[in-house]
Amino acid sequence: MRLGSRKGISSRNFLAALTLVLAGGGLLYLSATSLVAKPVTPLPGPVTTRVSVIPITFDPYNPKKTKFGKLTFRGGLNMFARSAHFGGYSAIALDQSGTTLLAVSDGGSWMRARLDHDGRRLNGLSDVTLGPILDRDGKPVRSVARQDAEGLALIAGETRNGTALVSFERDHRIMRYPFTPERFGPSNGEVPLPKAARSMGDNLGLEAIATIRVGRMKGTVVAFSERLKDRNGNLIGWLIGGRAPGTIVVRRLGGFDITGAAGLPDGGLLLLERRFRYSEGVKMRIRRIKAADLRRGNLITGEVLLEASDILNIDNMEGIAVHRARDGETVMTLMSDDNFSAFQRSLIMQFTLP
């Protein structure tokens, strides 16, 4: 039954049914951690796998609709693979053409894949390779406390060969990883964390990092915890390196937490946010921050581009990346972290920014 349709039932019964659906969905969402199938042992090395997909529309009840908030939906996929190591993707990066995707998982692995399109619409993943993130000793990361990769930012090269920063929570750190098509790591250095980052909770650590590649803040790494708040309840972030490092604060709107960030071609920033409540399920929001607002000591509000509830096709959205398409459009790619749970999905979707 489509929510909001009361045909054949009374208003009282409809409200009761709606309450049960929302509560049940919330319980399933929060109980996902007890139903995970997270791999016990890491991958010994890179392996190829096949990813099957089911195309999705963003509004399942109005599939022809493409305008959502200030964004235009370009297509999406629900993804499946037989590998137990496929899933848990918390952060993504794309090459400049938007063709090759690199993702890191909170299970201590990486994925590289080619994004296939039918014209402008995303229609599949091919050439998919999975592999382990290597620890300092050159072996796959085995400790659960050290596997929880949450943020990814390229600082050199592209998604096949280069260097990336990866942020981890639980064992809070930002590590520098050189990578090739066959290896991701071992790390060749660590970015010193700001003092305030030491007070982050085990599961509320460095959730999002991004690099600014143009403009006055070129070379700056922007990092955010999921929910580290100042005395006014706003969300704390840091400008690391660059010309003017220091603390920034993002105004917390409506109880949302930060799950991802991506630099924009104009030197600005996109923030991906999430909110969960028993009474309403999961929500997602995209905010755009102007380059001029990325200043030390600044309180930032930004511009809301999209806010969506799980009546639309979202899940636990955590990965975000931006590239400039051949036609000049700025394209945003989102990916969900399924927590290796049977009750969640690995989704990927693309929108065009205004």
Side-chain angles (χ1 to χ4, degrees):
M1 180 184 67
R2 177 178 174 177
L3 295 181
S5 172
R6 302 187 182 186
K7 185 176 180 180
I9 59 175
S10 69
S11 297
R12 178 178 298 178
N13 288 340
F14 169 78
L15 292 174
L18 178 60
T19 301
L20 286 173
V21 168
L22 291 174
L27 288 171
L28 288 178
Y29 186 85
L30 285 188
S31 65
T33 54
S34 66
L35 295 163
V36 296
K38 195 170 183 178
V40 177
T41 58
L43 283 163
V47 297
T48 59
T49 190
R50 179 180 177 182
V51 174
S52 300
V53 301
I54 298 175
I56 61 171
T57 58
F58 196 58
D59 185 345
Y61 305 117
N62 188 1
K64 293 184 179 180
K65 182 179 178 181
T66 58
K67 297 292 184 180
F68 298 92
K70 298 179 181 180
L71 305 179
T72 302
F73 183 67
R74 285 171 58 111
L77 305 170
N78 188 5
M79 302 177 293
F80 308 87
R82 290 185 177 180
S83 172
H85 293 272
F86 179 85
Y89 296 113
S90 300
I92 60 175
L94 293 178
D95 64 0
Q96 291 184 3
S97 69
T99 301
T100 304
L101 175 141
L102 178 66
V104 291
S105 164
D106 52 25
S109 66
W110 53 268
M111 175 181 69
R112 184 178 291 105
R114 178 182 176 85
L115 298 183
D116 300 324
H117 291 80
D118 178 11
R120 298 170 73 251
R121 183 173 292 274
L122 187 65
N123 71 347
L125 273 72
S126 58
D127 300 330
V128 181
T129 302
L130 311 178
I133 296 175
L134 302 181
D135 217 337
R136 296 186 181 99
D137 59 3
K139 298 179 180 179
V141 179
R142 301 188 69 89
S143 167
V144 173
R146 291 183 59 79
Q147 287 180 341
D148 200 348
E150 295 292 338
L152 172 69
L154 295 179
I155 56 174
E158 288 284 2
T159 47
R160 290 186 61 82
N161 289 277
T163 303
L165 296 179
V166 179
S167 66
F168 296 82
E169 62 181 10
R170 302 181 195 276
D171 181 355
H172 304 307
R173 65 198 190 279
I174 300 176
M175 307 297 292
R176 186 182 299 107
Y177 287 93
F179 61 88
T180 68
E182 292 77 33
R183 291 170 64 89
F184 197 92
S187 170
N188 63 6
E190 185 169 350
V191 176
L193 293 183
K195 184 177 180 180
R198 300 171 190 170
S199 62
M200 294 183 295
D202 284 350
N203 200 32
L204 297 172
L206 290 163
E207 192 77 11
I209 56 173
T211 48
I212 305 300
R213 295 196 167 192
V214 297
R216 64 181 183 84
M217 300 300 288
K218 182 178 179 179
T220 302
V221 176
V222 187
F224 291 97
S225 71
E226 182 176 346
R227 203 188 304 157
L228 184 63
K229 294 178 284 188
D230 67 3
R231 66 181 64 183
N232 297 313
N234 294 312
L235 300 167
I236 295 174
W238 300 277
L239 304 173
I240 302 173
R243 294 175 53 188
T247 301
I248 55 175
V249 179
V250 173
R251 192 181 302 278
R252 193 174 191 224
L253 301 177
F256 279 74
D257 301 321
I258 295 173
T259 61
L264 286 166
D266 64 359
L269 191 72
L270 287 182
L271 288 183
L272 175 60
E273 299 175 278
R274 174 187 61 213
R275 166 181 162 132
F276 176 79
R277 298 289 186 273
Y278 279 109
S279 59
E280 65 186 21
V282 65
K283 289 186 175 182
M284 174 194 79
R285 184 167 61 206
I286 310 291
R287 258 195 283 184
R288 178 165 55 188
I289 296 172
K290 295 179 180 179
D293 290 338
L294 291 173
R295 299 193 309 271
R296 179 178 57 203
N298 202 21
L299 173 61
I300 301 166
T301 300
E303 174 191 11
V304 175
L305 299 178
L306 173 65
E307 187 171 314
S309 72
D310 56 10
I311 292 176
L312 300 176
N313 245 326
I314 66 169
D315 205 281
N316 178 33
M317 310 309 296
E318 293 202 7
I320 182 170
V322 175
H323 76 279
R324 184 67 58 79
R326 290 181 180 179
D327 58 9
E329 290 184 319
T330 301
V331 179
M332 176 185 69
T333 302
L334 300 179
M335 196 164 177
S336 67
D337 173 2
D338 68 353
N339 290 309
F340 298 98
S341 167
F343 290 109
Q344 293 178 257
R345 298 175 295 165
S346 287
L347 304 179
I348 187 168
M349 60 189 71
Q350 292 187 327
F351 295 85
T352 301
L353 275 69

